[in-house]
C-alpha cells in the first residue's frame, strides 16, 4: 500500500472505533490534514449517528459542511466526546509533534476539551525520539523575531514559514535542530513560556490516548508506554 492507502486504512479503523464510542448526542472533534480528511470523508456515511462536530481548522469545517455534517462552534458545545486527528511524529509515550498543516493551536484547544484523543497515522510517523520533523510554533506576528532569538537560545534553528498565516491570523516558525527531544513535556512548557508564542506543536503534556498506526502488516493499536 502507498502512503495514501495507509492513511485511508487508518482513517477507516478510526471510523469503526468512533462508532463504538458515540451516540446520537455526541460531538466529534475533527482534526486537520490529509489523514483527517480521509476520516471526514469516511465518517460522512454515518452522519446521522452523532449530533455534529467541532473542527480544528476552517479547511476541515468546509470539508465537513460539504458532506452535510453539522459543525458547531466550540463555545456552543458543553463537551467533545472524542477527537480524531493525525500527527507529524508520534513516539511510544504517544507524545506527538503536530502542526505541519499550521492548525496546531486549534488542534490543541480541541484536544484539551475532548474526553478522548485518538491519533491516526501511517507508519512513517512512528519515531523513537521526536524532533526530526521541525517543531511548529505559532507566533503573534510582531513577536516573530524576538521569539526566534529565544528559540535559538534553546538550541533550535527556527525558520519562518513564509506565506503562511494561521486561521488565527498568526505566523509559524518551524524549529529545526531539536532532535532528539528527550523531555517533550518540559520543552513544550518551556517554549509556551516565551512571550509572543501562542502555542507549539508538541502534544506531550496531554498526549494522545490511543494511536491507530497503519503499517504494511495491518493496523496497530497503541496505548502509551511510560
Ligand atoms: C495539521 C497537523 C496534521 O495532523 C499533521 O500535519 C499530519 O498531517 P497529514 O495527515 O496530512 O500527514 O498537525 O496541523
Amino acid at each position: 500500500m502507498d502512503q495514501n492507502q495507509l492513511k485511508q486504512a487508518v482513517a477507516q479503523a478510526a471510523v469503526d472505533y468512533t462508532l463504538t464510542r458515540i451516540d446520537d448526542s455526541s460531538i466529534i472533534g475533527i482534526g486537520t490534514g490529509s489523514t483527517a480528511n480521509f476520516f471526514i470523508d469516511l465518517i460522512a456515511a454515518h452522519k446521522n449517528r452523532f449530533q455534529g462536530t467541532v473542527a480544528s481548522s476552517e479547511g476541515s469545517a468546509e470539508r465537513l459542511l460539504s458532506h452535510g455534517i453539522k459543525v458547531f462552534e466550540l463555545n456552543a458545545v458543553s463537551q467533545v466526546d472524542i477527537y480524531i486527528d493525525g500527527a507529524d511524529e508520534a513516539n511510544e509515550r504517544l507524545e506527538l509533534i503536530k502542526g505541519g498543516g499550521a492548525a496546531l493551536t486549534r488542534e490543541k484547544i480541541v484536544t484539551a476539551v475532548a474526553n478522548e484523543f485518538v491519533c491516526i497515522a501511517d507508519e512513517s510517523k512512528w519515531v523513537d525520539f521526536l524532533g526530526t520533523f521541525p517543531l511548529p510554533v505559532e507566533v503573534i506576528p510582531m513577536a516573530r523575531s524576538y521569539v526566534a532569538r529565544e528559540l535559538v537560545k534553546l538550541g533550535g534553528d527556527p525558520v519562518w514559514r513564509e506565506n503562511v498565516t494561521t486561521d488565527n491570523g498568526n505566523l509559524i516558525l518551524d524549529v529545526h535542530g531539536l532532535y532528539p527531544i528527550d523531555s517533550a513535556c518540559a520543552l513544550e512548557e518551556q517554549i509556551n513560556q516565551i512571550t509572543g508564542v501562542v502555542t507549539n506543536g508538541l502534544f506531550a503534556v496531554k498526549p494522545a490516548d490511543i494511536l491507530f498506526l497503519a503499517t504494511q502488516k495491518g493496523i496497530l493499536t497503541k496505548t502509551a508506554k511510560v
Side-chain angles (χ1 to χ4, degrees):
M1 283 199 271
D2 66 22
Q3 192 179 26
N4 273 330
Q5 289 169 322
L6 290 172
K7 287 181 180 192
Q8 188 163 23
V10 81
Q12 182 61 59
V15 167
D16 296 343
Y17 178 76
T18 300
L19 292 175
T20 69
R21 308 291 284 170
I22 56 168
D23 58 34
D24 56 10
S25 68
S26 296
I27 301 290
I28 303 176
I30 305 288
T32 297
S34 55
T35 319
N37 282 346
F38 281 121
F39 180 83
I40 293 170
D41 296 345
L42 290 165
I43 199 81
H46 309 281
K47 64 185 175 196
N48 297 326
R49 300 272 302 271
F50 53 94
Q51 190 187 159
T53 61
V54 294
S56 65
S57 64
E58 303 293 344
S60 292
E62 272 172 35
R63 196 175 189 100
L64 288 159
L65 291 169
S66 77
H67 284 293
I69 298 173
K70 277 189 198 145
V71 181
F72 293 96
E73 290 291 327
L74 185 59
N75 289 317
V77 301
S78 55
Q79 69 168 27
V80 174
D81 296 87
I82 188 166
Y83 177 58
I84 316 293
D85 199 0
D88 298 300
E89 285 187 346
N91 68 15
E92 67 175 14
R93 293 172 179 259
L94 305 194
E95 298 167 333
L96 313 172
I97 287 184
K98 292 184 46 52
L104 60 157
T105 299
R106 294 188 186 198
E107 291 171 345
K108 201 173 279 194
I109 292 168
V110 183
T111 304
V113 177
N115 294 337
E116 184 176 12
F117 175 16
V118 178
C119 185
I120 50 177
D122 67 87
E123 59 193 349
S124 71
K125 312 295 182 66
W126 184 249
V127 296
D128 289 334
F129 292 97
L130 301 174
T132 301
F133 190 90
L135 177 65
V137 179
E138 181 164 352
V139 178
I140 300 288
M142 71 175 288
R144 173 175 55 85
S145 297
Y146 167 71
V147 170
R149 289 193 294 274
E150 294 299 304
L151 290 167
V152 169
K153 287 181 195 165
L154 294 180
D157 178 13
V159 176
W160 178 19
R161 202 185 296 178
E162 291 189 64
N163 304 318
V164 170
T165 303
T166 70
D167 285 348
N168 314 306
N170 298 316
L171 305 178
I172 298 287
L173 295 173
D174 291 308
V175 189
H176 298 246
L178 294 174
Y179 180 87
I181 296 173
D182 49 26
S183 180
C185 282
L187 186 63
E188 179 178 354
E189 288 174 339
Q190 201 172 11
I191 293 175
N192 283 343
Q193 288 304 314
I194 300 171
T195 302
V197 167
V198 179
T199 197
N200 71 81
L202 281 168
F203 286 57
V205 172
K206 189 171 194 289
D209 295 302
I210 185 166
L211 168 68
F212 291 120
L213 191 71
T215 75
Q216 296 297 345
K217 293 181 181 162
I219 306 293
L220 305 181
T221 303
K222 300 212 174 248
T223 50
K225 282 197 185 137
V226 284

